[in-house]
Amino acid sequence: FVINIQPDQVAGVRDLLVRHGVAGATLYPMVRGRLSRIADRPVDPDGYEESRARRLAEREFNLSMLATAPADNGIIAGRWWRPGETDQFSVEEGLAKRLGIRLGDRLEFDAGGLPLSGTVTSLRKVDWDNFRVNFFVIAPPGALDNLPASYITSFHLPAPQRGALTELVGAFPNVTVID
């Protein structure tokens, strides 16, 4: 995994990876946001009995935007958005269950002091053990454009190509590599 890639570094990071034979790495925009409302209810961690639900209600989430549903995320309820739709969210089923989020609910996030809201149009089953970039909440393209974002990617790098990581960190010292 490589995190903290800044928007103006995306092309350079992608080019470096391609030069080292990593052509299929997708760089995903990532915006940090704290869930503040579900439907008409403020999110209050103390309002949840289960400790995992309380922790989820307290934390910031990594939000991203994608035009199409990830191939390994199954839509289990609702529908993916159509081109041009923006104020919508797709939510991971476990998060939805724990926090009481349903299809049609309006969610509000605080993203670095900026508001973000949308309607839940789908619930997804996510395989968290696949070593791919996954998100609890995904928005359509354009929905996060005015919010502060960094980028994240994941890829497999065979041992003979490990020198690419040294070059990557040398060229982009702000990125974090998690092996």
Side-chain angles (χ1 to χ4, degrees):
F1 288 89
V2 179
I3 62 173
N4 298 330
I5 303 164
Q6 297 307 297
D8 63 340
Q9 297 173 322
V10 169
V13 168
R14 185 177 292 122
D15 290 346
L16 187 148
L17 292 175
V18 168
R19 276 197 323 274
H20 286 277
V22 184
T26 302
L27 281 79
Y28 298 94
M30 189 170 71
V31 170
R32 304 277 294 163
R34 186 174 308 280
L35 184 59
S36 57
R37 295 185 77 76
I38 300 170
D40 59 352
R41 304 176 317 273
V43 174
D44 176 11
D46 294 331
Y48 295 97
E49 290 183 25
E50 182 191 22
S51 61
R52 174 122 168 97
R54 282 194 301 276
R55 285 192 305 275
L56 287 167
E58 291 173 336
R59 67 171 278 188
E60 284 187 328
F61 293 98
N62 295 320
L63 314 172
S64 192
M65 54 186 175
L66 298 170
T68 59
D72 58 349
N73 283 203
I75 303 294
I76 61 165
R79 65 163 181 84
W80 198 256
W81 37 77
R82 296 175 186 95
E85 296 177 334
T86 55
D87 66 338
Q88 299 176 33
F89 295 118
S90 177
V91 178
E92 188 268 338
E93 67 172 335
L95 175 70
K97 182 179 179 181
R98 283 195 167 83
L99 296 184
I101 297 170
R102 296 182 305 269
L103 285 176
D105 280 350
R106 188 114 182 122
L107 303 183
E108 294 181 21
F109 289 89
D110 178 327
L114 300 171
L116 174 66
S117 62
T119 302
V120 177
T121 59
S122 68
L123 300 177
R124 292 173 291 109
K125 181 168 187 61
V126 175
D127 176 9
W128 293 105
D129 296 327
N130 63 13
F131 294 104
R132 291 187 183 99
V133 176
N134 288 303
F135 296 96
F136 280 114
V137 180
I138 300 174
L144 309 178
D145 285 351
N146 297 320
L147 300 172
S150 63
Y151 284 73
I152 182 173
T153 189
S154 68
F155 51 87
H156 172 73
L157 195 62
Q161 295 169 291
R162 296 283 175 172
L165 297 179
T166 302
E167 185 179 338
L168 178 69
V169 173
F172 306 99
N174 59 287
V175 302
T176 302
V177 176
I178 303 166
D179 187 355

